[in-house]
Amino acid sequence: MFAVFRDLIRYNIEFAIGLILVVVVAVFSAASFFSPVDPSLIYMTIPDQPPSPQFWFGTNSRGQDMFWQLSAAFRNSLAFGLTVAVLSRIISIAVGLTAGYMGGWVDRVLMFINDIFVSLPIFPILVLFYFVLRNHMDSFTLALVMAGFGWPFDARLIRSVAIGLKHREFTRHAVFAGMSTPKLLLEEHLPYVMPIVFATFMNNMLWSIGLEVTLAVLGFTNINQPTIGTVLYWANSHSAMVVGTWWWIVIPVILIVMTFLGLFLLAVSMNEYIDPRSRLRRMGA
């Protein structure tokens, strides 16, 4: 794994740029742990102050220091994206490997369920969940719901790889040696699909954070919890651009672009690394 990481940094400039952007945003998010005030509290400082040496990112109309507010918001949004990506990867790996290796009726049943989830319109269902769980819809609950819808495309991709692995020589040797199916899938087949898992992990984080921002801007999440979307929600509610507090919109948007661009470049780099022809072409072979 370390060798893969080293090769990506050495031969892929997109990966290096994406990694720098993500690390910068991650360090900024980690600063929230040293915040001198609770970022959920309002009117703790002078409202509507522009960026200055005292307030690096300015203050908003709710009397919050934007530096610490945005730091907490990005920490919560990144944690949300990681939670969705990890949980949905677990489901996609379990479904994809099992369906590809077992085949037969197990494959048909799992892919039937998979195709049902593929066809479901996610956004209206999430809005419905918000109205049903209005009083309990925190970030973790929303992450659980979204993880339940974020796995089917990747499960089918993993299944296609697992079908090929099923007929490889080492699989027959493992079966003849008496290795159980769960152990065979985890120890023999899982390492072969990990590059796909890492590549889809970034894409899933992009998808989940983007959808959370959309829901929050429309007010379909807990708007009192700092996230990227709720920062934009409150800025829009106070007409930030109209009243001249441009930093309330511009600075979060710049950080959002950095986050999404970084994750996108990491995902593209991993996708390219998975394809041997692209990797060799970049290395000049």
Side-chain angles (χ1 to χ4, degrees), residues 18-19 31 40 52 73 84-85 95 126 144 167 188 229 238 251 258 276:
L19 185 63
S40 62
S52 66
V84 175
V95 173
L126 291 176
L144 290 178
H167 302 289
E188 301 294 336
H238 286 77
I251 295 176
M258 287 177 59

Side-chain angles (χ1 to χ4, degrees), residues 110-122 125 145 147-153:
L110 288 177
M111 286 303 100
F112 176 73
I113 297 172
N114 187 94
D115 292 341
I116 291 175
F117 276 86
V118 167
S119 63
L120 291 176
I122 298 175
I125 293 176
V145 174
F149 294 96
W151 58 271
F153 289 100

Side-chain angles (χ1 to χ4, degrees), residues 8 11-12 32 49 52 57 59 67 98 102 114 166 168 170-171 182 210 231 235 246:
L8 282 168
Y11 299 111
N12 197 316
S32 64
Q49 295 299 301
S52 66
F57 290 174
T59 65
F67 181 86
T98 303
M102 298 297 290
N114 187 94
K166 178 181 179 181
R168 298 278 291 273
F170 69 88
T171 301
V231 169
W246 54 267

